[in-house]
Amino acid sequence: VYELYPGDQKPVFVVEIATTASEDTIRTEAQELKELCTAVKGAHGILVVGDANAAGKVNQDEDRQEFLWVDVFSEEETQVLFDNCGVLATDGDAEAVALRRKIIDEIGP
């Protein structure tokens, strides 16, 4: 096996699969990412699936993958995420505060 980067100094690929993706697409994308990360050892990989059922469509390999289940954010967690990412900074900006409120109300925290 040829290592592109020495040790653990590798890029991280985050692949997000749409919730509307077919079962074949989920399996194919997961396999491609796994190939890149384990056989080629060219990167670290994170596969994001928005549907809890989609995780069951990914072949299980406990030695090389770990599942992390993330639930819906609370409103407070959403506000912290916005702050940490610099999204719509609310430093006294009433318009930004109103837009954040609109996003949370329409999409959910």
Side-chain angles (χ1 to χ4, degrees):
V1 174
Y2 176 75
E3 289 195 41
L4 300 174
Y5 300 92
D8 279 343
Q9 297 180 355
K10 301 172 189 172
V12 176
F13 288 103
V14 179
V15 177
E16 182 174 4
I17 298 178
T19 57
T20 56
S22 70
E23 189 172 323
D24 287 339
T25 298
I26 294 169
R27 275 203 190 96
T28 300
E29 293 301 322
Q31 189 61 41
E32 291 293 326
L33 186 62
K34 183 177 173 182
E35 177 74 17
L36 178 64
C37 296
T38 60
V40 178
K41 297 189 180 195
H44 297 290
I46 299 171
L47 181 65
V48 179
V49 290
D51 178 5
N53 296 325
K57 299 171 187 167
V58 176
N59 294 332
Q60 302 296 314
D61 186 349
E62 295 176 8
D63 292 335
R64 296 184 287 183
Q65 67 190 23
E66 178 180 338
F67 285 96
L68 173 66
W69 299 98
V70 179
D71 203 354
V72 177
F73 284 177
S74 68
E75 181 172 340
E76 182 180 339
E77 291 167 328
T78 303
Q79 295 286 0
V80 169
L81 177 67
F82 282 173
D83 289 341
N84 290 344
C85 294
V87 175
L88 298 171
T90 58
D91 304 335
D93 182 350
E95 188 176 333
V97 171
L99 189 50
R100 273 191 184 192
R101 176 83 268 134
K102 182 177 180 181
I103 291 170
I104 291 170
D105 289 345
E106 290 184 10
I107 299 174

